Amino acid sequence: MSEEANVSKTEVTEKKSRNFIEDAIDKDLAEGRYKEVVTRFPPEPNGFLHVGHAKSIILNSGIAKEYGGTFHMRFDDTNPTKEKSEFMDSIVADVKWLGADFGGKIYYASDYFDKMYECAVLLIRKGLAYASDLSADQIRETRGTLTEPGTNDPNRERPIDESLQIFSDMKAGKYADGEMVLRAKIDMASPNINMRDPILYRVAHIPHARTGDKWCIYPMYDFAHPLEDAIEGITHSLCTLEFEDHRPLYDWVVNNTDWENPPRQIEFAKMYLKNIVTGKRYIKKLVENGIVDGWDDPRIVSIAGLRRRGFTPESIRKFVELSGISKSNAVSDYAMLEYCIREDLKVQAPRIFAVLDPVKLVIDNYLEGQTEELEVQNNVENPALGSRKVPFSRELYVEREDFMEVPPAKYRRLYPGNEVRLMNAYYVTCTSCEKDEKGNVTLIHCTYDPATRGGDSPDGRKVKGTIHWVDAKTAMPVKARLYENIVDEEKGVYDENGELNLNPNSMTVMNAYVEPCLKDAKVYDRFQFVRNGFFVVDSKDSAPGAPVFNRIVSLKSSYKLPAQG
């Protein structure tokens, strides 16, 4: 094939792989509508971000980076009744953690309150807005339905000068909360209910965290948001499909407030996860009722929760990439997110011996008091991680499930008379066990073959079972937490009353033993516990020399990556 043909083939492939947002931006730039690309992530600081927000952060920042443009981090802080600095701090931390580069500058909608007020005055002067004394209930009642037009507000033809004076008096604090609003004058018969004279400003005598008592009127989201974009020179306002019906109002606001090259809103599908709780109302209830230990609980798919659980930014970005960018709502499987973190960690994480449900094993023919160190690779798939020395002696801990006194057919681990491999150590043969008065196994007796040091037999005999272990003398006791979905998937996420069907086994705490090398493990250090999964040092409950481990994900997966192309 010629070089020209190769280039052509590559161009076709790249063109097919581009999404509809990139196609729209390409067209805008080619037509000269914009000279550069400026995007933004504009959360309201009224809660913690969840994995769905990660899609918006990654998409908006990624588009800006792709086109050599600018990405703005902006707080849409126009509602002081629900906003908290705690939420702002967590959102900034999440955005930084995901690797979105906003240049260190944070924008605030509240910085534009003066300009928004000027724009509202401009609309009144144009005869496109009016002051109304209808109550919230009256406005709702006269708005109409999806099949019936609304009824004109009696204040709709109020003289412009009168509306200007009332709006000024609203700003001056002469009206009580709910006594007066400013409405846009658009079309009460519009098939789009959002265009039926929406409220632009309401009275609210509430101090604002950043502006103090300067304002007692605050702009509504649908008025403020397009103006924020226009003021900042945003070119492409990328938002989720729920705002598609609001786009005519977005365009009406920026077009009637006289902006040159106003921003363009483009909608994309939200990220939904099957059987996963993301709603703020439900998560808030879980937090307030003490069912979880905060908005960063590892069982919650808030970005903070995923970070504490041990997910990496790279795994989240890969998940967003695999989920795709489209105009059609679709549900992603949590198993795909687990696939992404497994793929990210399998060659990065050191592989460590850890016994989660321990029972003691004694090698009766191993010299009492003798100790040795065995050389163990840190990750057989990544030789660059090197190796470590693992202590070994007469008494060990093994997993309780690795022994059965009366095993079923094809059971290959420890049982009386069977020989297995202690991983990277020796062949051992089980001889007997001891039990307590309830019949629980308390001690397993074995003998070992000294010639099999390192886990191989010089005479060529093979064993069918290999188990991991830790040295009882030097192993460190730790708490290891295993997680399941916070809701019972078999019953469904919600019951008949709309409440969550909680899973009583969503967290299991194990009194485990790990290799002594983990004593100095730092917060967010990640490891693969051999046969038990990937674990991370918890960021909240760990202490120096006393790490607590969260299981990020098990090793086994039934998820299959969809065919590409």
Side-chain angles (χ1 to χ4, degrees):
M1 184 179 290
S2 68
E3 184 176 342
E4 291 79 9
N6 274 322
V7 171
S8 177
K9 183 178 179 181
T10 300
E11 288 175 348
V12 170
T13 302
E14 289 181 351
K15 186 174 182 180
K16 286 183 179 179
S17 68
R18 295 178 71 75
N19 60 57
F20 72 96
I21 293 176
E22 292 168 318
D23 289 340
I25 294 174
D26 289 344
K27 186 173 184 292
D28 287 343
L29 293 175
E31 294 176 351
R33 180 171 180 173
Y34 306 110
K35 294 181 179 178
E36 62 174 338
V37 173
V38 185
T39 62
R40 82 292 171 271
F41 176 63
E44 298 174 79
N46 58 7
F48 279 60
L49 303 181
H50 57 69
V51 67
H53 294 108
K55 180 177 182 178
S56 182
I57 295 168
I58 291 168
L59 173 61
N60 276 281
S61 62
I63 286 290
K65 183 177 180 180
E66 177 185 347
Y67 287 91
T70 306
F71 169 66
H72 288 195
M73 169 70 222
R74 179 214 305 152
F75 284 114
D76 213 322
D77 57 337
T78 58
N79 186 358
T81 61
K82 297 181 179 181
E83 295 158 5
K84 294 181 180 179
S85 59
E86 171 195 8
F87 297 141
M88 287 190 178
D89 293 342
S90 72
I91 289 170
V92 171
D94 291 343
V95 173
K96 287 182 177 179
W97 180 72
L98 285 170
D101 182 10
F102 55 88
K105 180 178 180 179
I106 298 176
Y107 295 82
Y108 296 88
S110 54
D111 288 344
Y112 313 140
F113 281 167
D114 287 295
K115 184 62 179 177
M116 292 177 190
Y117 181 82
E118 291 176 12
C119 289
V121 169
L122 175 63
L123 291 177
I124 297 172
R125 292 190 186 282
K126 287 184 171 184
L128 296 175
Y130 59 93
S132 172
D133 57 11
L134 291 189
S135 68
D137 288 340
Q138 289 173 321
I139 290 175
R140 190 162 40 250
E141 290 167 3
T142 58
R143 205 175 184 190
T145 67
L146 291 174
T147 57
E148 297 177 351
T151 304
N152 281 352
D153 188 321
N155 303 283
R156 203 168 193 267
E157 301 307 322
R158 188 190 295 274
I160 288 174
D161 288 345
E162 190 177 328
S163 282
L164 286 171
Q165 184 59 54
I166 292 173
F167 191 48
S168 176
D169 290 343
M170 288 167 61
K171 178 176 178 290
K174 296 181 180 181
Y175 291 96
D177 292 4
E179 190 177 355
M180 193 70 71
V181 297
L182 184 72
R183 298 183 72 176
K185 186 190 289 188
I186 307 178
D187 182 3
M188 289 302 293
S190 173
N192 186 334
I193 292 181
N194 295 301
M195 301 296 282
R196 295 181 186 176
D197 289 15
I199 298 173
L200 305 181
Y201 267 88
R202 84 283 196 197
V203 178
H205 291 265
I206 302 170
H208 189 282
R210 301 190 74 250
T211 61
D213 294 323
K214 178 179 178 180
W215 297 91
C216 60
I217 57 172
Y218 292 98
M220 303 299 288
Y221 179 85
D222 277 343
F223 179 64
H225 184 74
L227 291 178
E228 295 160 29
D229 286 346
I231 291 167
E232 290 178 16
I234 301 300
T235 58
H236 297 88
S237 177
L238 309 180
C239 56
T240 48
L241 281 177
E242 67 202 84
F243 294 100
E244 187 171 30
D245 288 342
H246 296 251
R247 192 191 333 138
L249 180 53
Y250 182 102
D251 292 340
W252 184 91
V253 170
V254 294
N255 290 332
N256 284 293
T257 48
D258 300 344
W259 295 94
E260 187 178 355
N261 299 322
R264 175 184 180 185
Q265 178 175 302
I266 304 175
E267 306 86 18
F268 60 91
K270 264 187 173 182
M271 177 183 286
Y272 291 99
L273 283 174
K274 184 179 180 181
N275 292 332
I276 298 296
V277 178
T278 57
K280 287 179 184 176
R281 178 171 69 90
Y282 290 104
I283 294 177
K284 183 180 180 183
K285 205 170 190 179
L286 292 173
V287 173
E288 291 176 346
N289 292 341
I291 295 168
V292 297
D293 72 354
W295 287 84
D296 63 348
D297 189 287
R299 290 165 290 180
I300 297 174
V301 292
S302 63
I303 296 177
L306 290 170
R307 181 165 64 249
R308 186 178 168 197
R309 176 76 172 260
F311 282 83
T312 61
E314 293 77 15
S315 66
I316 306 296
R317 298 177 81 89
K318 183 65 176 178
F319 176 58
V320 170
E321 178 188 332
L322 291 176
S323 298
I325 305 298
S326 72
K327 290 282 285 186
S328 301
N329 282 324
V331 178
S332 295
D333 197 327
Y334 186 79
M336 183 166 75
L337 179 57
E338 293 182 319
Y339 164 84
C340 293
I341 187 63
R342 285 191 190 96
E343 288 295 297
D344 192 33
L345 293 182
K346 69 181 182 181
V347 295
Q348 291 188 45
R351 297 179 182 179
I352 301 294
F353 293 160
V355 176
L356 302 188
D357 187 14
V359 61
K360 186 169 282 189
L361 179 150
V362 175
I363 305 173
D364 292 319
N365 64 332
Y366 193 93
L367 185 63
E368 194 164 353
Q370 177 182 332
T371 61
E372 59 182 304
E373 289 186 327
L374 302 172
E375 190 83 17
V376 178
Q377 275 190 282
N378 287 325
N379 189 321
V380 295
E381 294 184 49
N382 186 359
L385 292 182
S387 62
R388 68 190 185 282
K389 300 286 188 179
V390 179
F392 183 90
S393 65
R394 185 173 185 265
E395 295 185 0
L396 311 171
Y397 288 116
V398 297
E399 295 287 358
R400 186 170 295 277
E401 67 174 16
D402 285 342
F403 172 81
M404 295 188 74
E405 191 174 14
V406 183
K410 297 184 179 181
Y411 185 78
R412 296 178 177 180
R413 301 174 199 171
L414 284 168
Y415 58 87
N418 192 44
E419 186 176 48
V420 302
R421 177 189 290 107
L422 294 177
M423 190 176 291
N424 296 106
Y426 296 96
Y427 284 12
V428 296
T429 301
C430 180
T431 57
S432 64
C433 70
E434 297 178 21
K435 294 185 283 188
D436 62 19
E437 63 278 4
K438 295 181 179 179
N440 299 312
V441 174
T442 57
L443 191 65
I444 302 167
H445 288 278
C446 291
T447 59
Y448 86 116
D449 180 353
T452 59
R453 191 178 195 274
D456 291 308
S457 173
D459 62 12
R461 76 181 188 274
K462 302 295 183 183
V463 292
K464 293 183 178 179
T466 299
I467 65 174
H468 65 284
W469 49 274
V470 292
D471 176 55
K473 284 185 179 180
T474 58
M476 181 173 65
V478 298
K479 298 289 185 185
R481 300 190 288 215
L482 312 183
Y483 298 107
E484 296 179 7
N485 197 336
I486 193 73
V487 294
D488 189 328
E489 295 182 38
E490 291 185 3
K491 292 182 179 178
V493 176
Y494 309 105
D495 63 19
E496 62 276 8
N497 299 315
E499 297 297 320
L500 296 175
N501 279 319
L502 295 176
N503 175 8
N505 302 313
S506 62
M507 181 175 72
T508 302
V509 181
M510 309 294 289
N511 294 313
Y513 285 98
V514 300
E515 290 183 42
C517 66
L518 294 192
K519 182 180 179 181
D520 297 323
K522 304 294 190 297
V523 166
Y524 293 122
D525 282 352
R526 300 173 182 87
F527 305 92
Q528 182 188 133
F529 287 179
V530 172
R531 289 177 51 211
N532 282 312
F534 292 100
F535 285 74
V536 67
V537 179
D538 185 72
S539 60
K540 183 180 284 187
D541 298 328
S542 297
V548 174
F549 290 92
N550 301 328
R551 184 157 72 179
I552 308 168
V553 65
S554 65
L555 297 179
K556 296 180 180 178
S557 173
S558 59
Y559 178 77
K560 301 295 182 185
L561 188 65
Q564 302 297 302

